[in-house]
């Protein structure tokens, strides 16, 4: 037997022995529903990351270089309020391993939150709830429901003097982490998350919005800002366009591109252009986001249908009958954001239409001086207005309201949106009422009194 063969045998025996030892450690720990610090140390002792991946009670060594941006520099000081935070902002590559090996992250039927609750235990800038530990607040922000202003408020309450900044790009404030310096539930141990989500000492809050206003707000923000010439539309109907990508020819948001592409993956340029032309209208946009569960007969056919002609295989009816295009900016909250378990945990639900009063009510719950310190002033162009009363915040959050009657031109359109958002209307925890267009602000203001 040559030396190479002997060496391979020795390596094989060592690997088998190591795997057997690892199996016994995991089996013993699983029987107790925990992994002890000693066991975890043994598991990772042969890993080149062992010093960075011990227990959640020990600080994790960052593997990513610190950002050099001004935003990161000004927001880094308060990112970790206490040792309960298990994952640092620079440890994103460790987060998945940590949630699989943390000493208390095994399934436990006695816990409200399980490791499989991805909306709490996994990180996404727009989805994972924000934690304000000083005031014992878990805030579920939702796109197109005042999320920008609410994140600015959270940054202000954490002590950041540039809380009012609203930028775009890689390190956009206040939305992008770690530039925004905010803490999220996924940064904490599973035990801590369970405390946050079950303790009466914690406030679990969210803000919702009338679905009709939300749908229009999403459309106005994401609709293609283009006007197609009649000649190119006619060419598309005749199938005369080349198979080159039309998405490079026109400035179109990724969400709209996705909505057309997902309906017909093998579509040529003609089909894509006609789809794009269709979603330029609000009713065409509703065709794209409809989840397909709502059936619309001839009696519900809207005016835009008669103005569109089929060609190159495209028909508006195809959009209506196929699966809807999902996106966090417009999809019903009950479909992606707040499952029944999370809904039951909420103990504060505010309405964007009544945001000025509801945000004051929330801050008064958090602390006797919270409203005066963070909400009563410091907002607006000159920082002398209250939150959600200032011209700047109201314009950003509710700019679509002034266009409601411009786009909701018939009761049929309202009925259609009500059907698209039926799951949210029927969700008792979201406190949404089917209201005629333009009535939401008055209704929710009166019901909060």
């Amino acid at each position: 037997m040559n030396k190479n063969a002997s060496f391979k045998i020795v390596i094989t025996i060592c690997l088998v022995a190591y795997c057997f030892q690892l199996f016994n450690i995991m089996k013993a720990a699983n029987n107790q529903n925990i992994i002890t610090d000693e066991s975890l140390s043994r598991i990772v002792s042969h890993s080149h990351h062992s010093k960075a991946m011990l227990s959640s009670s020990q600080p994790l060594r960052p593997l990513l270089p610190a950002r050099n941006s001004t935003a990161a520099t000004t927001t880094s000081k308060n990112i970790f309020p206490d040792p309960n935070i298990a994952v640092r902002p620079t440890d994103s590559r460790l987060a998945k391993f940590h949630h699989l090996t943390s000493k208390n992250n095994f399934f436990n039927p006695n816990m409200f939150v399980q490791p499989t609750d991805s909306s709490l235990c996994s990180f996404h800038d727009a989805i994972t709830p924000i934690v304000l530990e000083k005031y014992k607040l878990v805030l579920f922000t939702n796109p197109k429901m005042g999320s920008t202003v609410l994140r600015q408020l959270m940054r202000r309450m954490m002590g950041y003097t540039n809380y009012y900044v609203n930028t775009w790009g890689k390190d956009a404030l206040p939305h992008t982490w770690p530039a925004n310096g905010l803490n999220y539930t996924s940064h904490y141990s599973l035990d801590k998350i369970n405390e946050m989500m079950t303790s009466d000492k914690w406030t679990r809050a969210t803000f919702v919005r009338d679905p009709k206003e939300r749908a229009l707000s999403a459309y106005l923000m994401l609709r293609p800002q283009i006007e197609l010439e009649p000649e190119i539309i006619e060419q598309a109907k005749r199938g005369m366009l080349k198979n080159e990508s039309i998405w490079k020819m026109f400035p179109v948001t990724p969400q709209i591109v996705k909505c057309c592409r997902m309906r017909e993956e093998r579509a040529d340029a003609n089909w894509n252009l006609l789809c794009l032309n269709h979603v330029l209208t609000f009713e065409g946009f509703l065709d794209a986001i409809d989840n397909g569960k709502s059936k619309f007969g001839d009696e519900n056919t809207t005016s835009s249908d008669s103005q569109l002609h089929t060609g190159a295989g495209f028909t508006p009816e195809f959009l209506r009958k196929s699966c809807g295009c999902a996106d966090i900016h417009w999809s019903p909250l009950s479909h992606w954001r707040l499952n029944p378990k999370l809904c039951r945990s909420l103990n504060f639900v505010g309405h964007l239409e009544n945001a000025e009063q509801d945000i004051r009510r929330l801050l008064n719950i958090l602390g006797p001086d919270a409203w005066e310190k963070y909400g009563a002033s410091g907002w607006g162009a000159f920082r002398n207005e209250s939150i959600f009363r200032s011209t700047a915040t109201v314009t950003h959050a509710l700019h679509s309201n002034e266009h409601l009657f411009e786009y909701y031109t018939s009761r049929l359109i309202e009925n259609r949106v009500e059907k698209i958002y039926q799951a949210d209307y029927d969700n008792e925890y979201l406190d949404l009422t089917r209201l005629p267009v333009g009535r939401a602000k008055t209704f929710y203001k009166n019901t909060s009194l």
Side-chain angles (χ1 to χ4, degrees):
M1 181 181 297
N2 57 39
K3 293 183 178 181
N4 289 336
S6 300
F7 179 75
K8 292 180 178 179
I9 293 175
V10 172
I11 293 297
T12 302
I13 293 174
C14 290
L15 287 174
V16 171
Y18 172 74
C19 292
F20 183 74
Q21 180 188 24
L22 181 61
F23 172 78
N24 287 334
I25 293 172
M26 296 294 290
K27 182 178 179 181
N30 193 42
N31 288 336
Q32 301 178 9
N33 283 327
I34 63 171
I35 293 182
T36 64
D37 290 345
E38 179 182 1
S39 299
L40 181 58
S41 300
R42 292 169 63 187
I43 291 174
V44 301
S45 62
H46 298 285
S47 169
H48 64 285
H49 291 316
S50 59
K51 293 183 180 180
M53 297 183 180
L54 293 178
S55 71
S56 62
S57 62
Q58 299 177 1
L60 298 177
R61 175 170 57 87
L63 295 184
L64 298 179
R67 295 177 180 266
N68 295 322
S69 65
T70 303
T73 302
T74 58
T75 60
S76 61
K77 60 179 181 179
N78 292 328
I79 290 181
F80 315 109
D82 64 43
N84 285 305
I85 294 183
V87 183
R88 294 176 179 243
T90 49
D91 288 333
S92 59
R93 288 183 290 181
L94 294 180
K96 183 176 181 179
F97 179 90
H98 174 80
H99 286 302
L100 291 175
T101 59
S102 180
K103 62 181 181 181
N104 54 8
N105 274 11
F106 283 96
F107 180 82
N108 186 335
N110 297 320
M111 285 187 170
F112 177 78
V113 180
Q114 301 295 338
T116 53
D117 291 322
S118 58
S119 61
L120 297 173
C121 300
S122 300
F123 178 74
H124 186 286
D125 287 297
I127 298 176
T128 311
I130 298 170
V131 176
L132 203 60
E133 194 161 1
K134 178 181 178 180
Y135 292 94
K136 294 189 179 302
L137 171 68
V138 177
L139 179 64
F140 293 77
T141 60
N142 308 306
K144 310 310 301 172
M145 302 187 196
S147 62
T148 298
V149 182
L150 292 173
R151 287 167 186 263
Q152 289 173 330
L153 175 62
M154 295 300 99
R155 296 191 72 241
R156 186 182 189 185
M157 297 179 74
M158 289 186 67
Y160 300 119
T161 57
N162 64 341
Y163 63 90
Y164 53 84
V165 173
N166 184 15
T167 61
W168 295 86
K170 181 180 179 182
D171 292 325
L173 293 175
H175 292 282
T176 305
W177 181 84
N180 60 17
L182 296 175
N183 296 323
Y184 297 81
T185 54
S186 59
H187 296 166
Y188 293 81
S189 66
L190 192 61
D191 280 341
K192 189 65 177 179
I193 301 174
N194 270 284
E195 177 190 338
M196 297 173 186
M197 297 301 296
T198 58
S199 173
D200 292 337
K201 296 180 180 180
W202 282 78
T203 301
R204 295 166 290 275
T206 192
F207 275 74
V208 297
R209 186 177 191 178
D210 179 75
K212 295 173 185 176
E213 297 184 6
R214 182 186 173 211
L216 180 59
S217 178
Y219 165 73
L220 293 177
M221 184 183 79
L222 300 172
R223 63 177 176 176
Q225 301 295 321
I226 59 175
E227 184 175 348
L228 299 176
E229 297 293 334
E231 291 80 5
I232 193 171
I233 296 175
E234 188 61 31
Q235 290 177 9
K237 291 177 181 178
R238 297 179 180 180
M240 298 173 61
L241 298 182
K242 303 291 184 180
N243 283 329
E244 59 192 33
S245 175
I246 68 163
W247 311 120
K248 296 180 181 179
M249 300 168 55
F250 306 103
V252 183
T253 56
Q255 292 86 351
I256 298 301
V257 173
K258 177 181 66 175
C259 284
C260 285
R261 279 182 170 174
M262 70 178 293
R263 301 306 180 86
E264 187 58 66
E265 296 179 357
R266 295 175 294 177
D268 61 8
N270 301 284
W271 197 96
N272 285 330
L273 186 133
L274 292 176
C275 178
L276 173 60
N277 181 60
H278 186 58
V279 298
L280 289 178
T281 67
F282 181 52
E283 296 170 71
F285 174 75
L286 295 180
D287 285 341
I289 71 172
D290 190 354
N291 61 18
K293 296 179 181 179
S294 303
K295 302 300 181 182
F296 300 96
D298 295 335
E299 70 278 7
N300 279 3
T301 300
T302 54
S303 60
S304 64
D305 299 339
S306 61
Q307 299 170 4
L308 291 168
H309 305 280
T310 60
F314 173 84
T315 62
E317 289 74 18
F318 180 83
L319 287 182
R320 296 191 196 97
K321 294 178 182 179
S322 58
C323 180
C325 178
D327 187 84
I328 60 176
H329 291 88
W330 61 69
S331 293
L333 294 178
S334 302
H335 288 178
W336 68 275
R337 185 68 174 100
L338 294 167
N339 59 40
K341 183 171 80 170
L342 293 182
C343 283
R344 289 193 297 271
S345 72
L346 296 174
N347 50 20
F348 182 94
V349 176
H351 291 268
L352 186 62
E353 295 79 11
N354 192 45
E356 185 182 355
Q357 286 72 34
D358 284 347
I359 198 65
R360 181 169 185 167
R361 184 163 57 93
L362 174 61
L363 290 176
N364 286 336
I365 293 173
L366 299 181
D369 61 342
W371 167 254
E372 293 299 327
K373 289 179 65 175
Y374 307 115
S377 63
W379 302 91
F382 300 100
R383 313 284 179 266
N384 61 351
E385 299 177 88
S386 63
I387 186 172
F388 283 111
R389 175 181 286 272
S390 71
T391 303
T393 53
V394 170
T395 299
H396 177 83
L398 299 172
H399 76 284
S400 62
N401 290 13
E402 60 190 58
H403 299 288
L404 284 171
F405 295 103
E406 178 183 347
Y407 291 93
Y408 284 97
T409 55
S410 70
R411 181 60 195 174
L412 295 178
I413 303 177
E414 294 187 50
N415 291 342
R416 182 169 193 188
V417 174
E418 289 179 2
K419 291 180 180 179
I420 293 175
Y421 290 93
Q422 181 175 345
D424 282 356
Y425 282 117
D426 293 343
N427 188 329
E428 61 179 311
Y429 300 101
L430 298 184
D431 190 27
L432 292 169
T433 302
R434 293 173 174 82
L435 299 168
V437 165
R439 293 283 303 278
K441 182 175 179 64
T442 303
F443 177 83
Y444 292 117
K445 181 178 181 178
N446 291 336
T447 55
S448 67
L449 297 178

